[in-house]
Amino acid sequence: MKNFKPTKTILSIVCSLLFISSTFAQGMMQRPQITSPDIADNNNVIFNLYAPNASEVTLSGGWMSGFGGEQMTKTEEGVWTYTSEALAADMYQYTFSVDGVTTLDPSNIQVSRDGSRYTNYFVINGEYSQYYSMKDVPHGTLSKVWYESPSLDMDQRRMYVYTPAGYEGGTDDYPVLYLFHGTGGDEDAWTSVGMVVNIMDNVIAEGKVEPMIVVMANGNYNQKVAPDKATPSPANFMSAYDENAGRFEESVIKDIIPFIDSNYRTYTDRENRAIAGLSMGGGQSTYTGFTNPDKFAWIGSFSGAFVVWPGVRPGPGVNDLDMDKLENDVFPNLDSSINSKMKLVFLGIGTEDPLIDPQRKFKNWLRENNIQFVDAETEGYSHVWALWRIDLIKFTSQLFK
């Protein structure tokens, strides 16, 4: 080794590596330090993105009308910035668009997935949103379990199961809430975007909600598992939904409930079993609950898409209810006798929701037939997670008491 003489090639590689290292270090030192999002004391939120070579950057946020984009301003350092108006307490999702390409905020590690939609998010604490973040309270457990689903011709399907703090190592039985996602979502949606684990941990610890097991199954009849974990089904879900309507609901009764009652410490009577969901899941939960009153005493719908009920649409693709079909074909046995069986029927929706008309049609039909329910319309909300998380807290706070 003492006679070793470096060749020109080796010297060239060493010099190149030293140059790259020096350039990288210099670039890191020159790159501005960025905080994004930066929530001010008055709830204005500042967004920053370092993109010195971009010609246009826009910001899309859940607080904007139609989730539209707002132009960001470029500083001399190459940082694009935007300051929002003062925002109300809530959890907000957002993305950037850099020269027409949607991208996440590299300065924010908080990312949620709802189906194929990935967004960053942040939380401004308030009456309800205080429950969305992790607190120093006893924590439950989220399990991802596989079960057989003969009703859907599948040997394996995945669902999420939340068990409250104290379940592991304990001996007590628990009531169960079956909770479903909306169109485009999957079994992960309520935990990723709905913040159900933090919500349940926090509201249970505060005594606002009774300890319960929460079961979140994949409501897409043609999926074994969330599409980010497996090749998506080749079938177009919505185009084939009408002819397959009711299949998932059947699997809830025949496959999911028996699995949960066999593998978890549950109360198996109807008074200790609730069912709820958002959008498509709201339609599925109301149909399952009303047609199986021997299984459930609590029904919750958050912006329920009642148009997913089997055979209820006036025609293919029509976003409305045929009331004659509803009375004669969908719920032929539903009348005021259900009042003695149901402890709570909660129908929540925002006044700006595009599903408000079919929802009100159904509620008027319930009133005409003297069927009791809680009418939970909330001013100003559209078809958004911001309302569904709040409705979940309102609904669960009334369960099993």
Side-chain angles (χ1 to χ4, degrees):
M1 292 294 296
K2 64 180 179 179
N3 296 321
F4 173 76
K5 294 181 179 180
T7 65
K8 290 183 178 181
T9 301
I10 295 175
L11 288 173
S12 176
I13 293 173
V14 172
C15 289
S16 296
L17 290 173
L18 290 173
F19 174 78
I20 292 172
S21 177
S22 175
T23 302
F24 177 77
Q26 184 179 10
M28 290 299 291
M29 288 186 293
Q30 292 176 348
R31 186 171 184 151
Q33 296 296 311
I34 293 176
T35 299
S36 180
D38 186 8
I39 304 173
D41 291 340
N42 61 356
N43 287 354
N44 292 109
V45 183
I46 303 168
F47 300 87
N48 295 301
L49 177 68
Y50 181 65
N53 298 322
S55 58
E56 181 184 53
V57 178
T58 60
L59 168 73
S60 293
W63 62 94
M64 299 175 184
S65 176
F67 212 72
E70 292 286 342
Q71 294 287 333
M72 301 181 71
T73 303
K74 187 179 182 179
T75 69
E76 294 181 357
E77 294 79 18
V79 177
W80 294 80
T81 186
Y82 176 87
T83 301
S84 78
E85 61 198 43
L87 300 180
D90 208 334
M91 172 180 164
Y92 295 97
Q93 298 164 261
Y94 71 97
T95 57
F96 295 124
S97 176
V98 180
D99 291 336
V101 179
T102 300
T103 184
L104 296 175
D105 186 346
S107 299
N108 185 1
I109 63 173
Q110 297 186 115
V111 178
S112 63
R113 182 186 70 85
D114 186 9
S116 61
R117 302 175 290 272
Y118 287 82
T119 59
N120 292 104
Y121 70 88
F122 61 94
V123 177
I124 297 177
N125 284 330
E127 179 183 3
Y128 290 102
S129 57
Q130 63 169 312
Y131 299 117
Y132 304 162
S133 300
M134 185 177 292
K135 296 184 179 182
D136 187 15
V137 299
H139 298 294
T141 299
L142 181 68
S143 301
K144 303 176 183 181
V145 302
W146 294 85
Y147 67 101
E148 294 183 7
S149 184
S151 299
L152 297 177
D153 301 319
M154 296 182 189
D155 56 354
Q156 290 282 286
R157 293 191 92 228
R158 191 178 75 165
M159 61 183 166
Y160 285 15
V161 180
Y162 167 87
T163 49
Y167 178 89
E168 295 175 341
T171 59
D172 292 342
D173 292 338
Y174 290 85
V176 184
L177 165 63
Y178 292 85
L179 183 64
F180 305 131
H181 60 83
T183 304
D186 48 62
E187 71 272 22
D188 180 67
W190 268 108
T191 57
S192 181
V193 193
M195 295 294 159
V196 72
V197 174
N198 288 346
I199 288 174
M200 296 306 294
D201 282 349
N202 293 330
V203 293
I204 290 173
E206 193 174 286
K208 193 179 186 73
V209 169
E210 296 295 311
M212 68 184 72
I213 295 171
V214 183
V215 177
M216 294 156 282
N218 190 317
N220 303 302
Y221 69 87
N222 59 350
Q223 284 184 0
K224 290 186 176 183
V225 63
D228 68 320
K229 300 301 179 186
T231 302
S233 169
N236 183 292
F237 178 78
M238 288 312 296
S239 65
Y241 190 88
D242 284 342
E243 63 184 86
N244 289 280
R247 290 192 64 192
F248 171 72
E249 292 89 328
E250 179 184 7
S251 75
V252 173
I253 302 300
K254 294 183 177 180
D255 304 332
I256 296 175
I257 291 177
F259 176 89
I260 294 298
D261 286 345
S262 296
N263 291 276
Y264 290 85
R265 299 194 312 274
T266 65
Y267 292 116
T268 58
D269 57 292
R270 56 182 300 280
E271 286 79 8
N272 283 286
R273 194 181 289 131
I275 189 168
L278 69 90
S279 191
M280 178 183 76
Q284 292 169 331
S285 63
T286 47
Y287 181 78
T288 307
F290 279 133
T291 55
N292 295 276
D294 60 318
K295 301 293 185 184
F296 304 96
W298 316 79
I299 298 175
S301 169
F302 318 144
S303 305
F306 300 154
V307 294
V308 305
W309 291 334
V312 75
R313 300 192 199 198
V318 178
N319 193 27
D320 200 0
L321 303 180
D322 184 321
M323 301 308 293
D324 289 334
K325 289 182 178 180
L326 181 143
E327 184 165 12
N328 299 321
D329 301 328
V330 181
F331 298 126
N333 301 315
L334 185 59
D335 55 35
S336 59
S337 65
I338 197 77
N339 295 334
S340 63
K341 300 177 181 179
M342 290 297 159
K343 292 183 175 295
L344 174 65
V345 176
F346 178 98
L347 302 181
I349 194 169
T351 57
E352 306 307 310
D353 196 305
L355 294 176
I356 192 73
D357 287 341
Q359 178 111 171
R360 286 174 174 169
K361 277 188 178 181
F362 179 60
K363 290 187 291 189
N364 287 336
W365 181 83
L366 292 176
R367 293 187 184 99
E368 291 170 1
N369 288 275
N370 298 312
I371 299 171
Q372 298 172 359
F373 66 96
V374 173
D375 188 357
E377 289 192 7
T378 304
E379 289 290 335
Y381 283 93
S382 184
H383 204 71
V384 290
W385 275 101
L387 178 60
W388 303 329
R389 287 184 291 263
I390 293 173
D391 277 349
L392 175 67
I393 296 173
K394 290 180 178 179
F395 180 66
T396 53
S397 66
Q398 301 177 67
L399 297 181
F400 312 127
K401 295 183 177 180

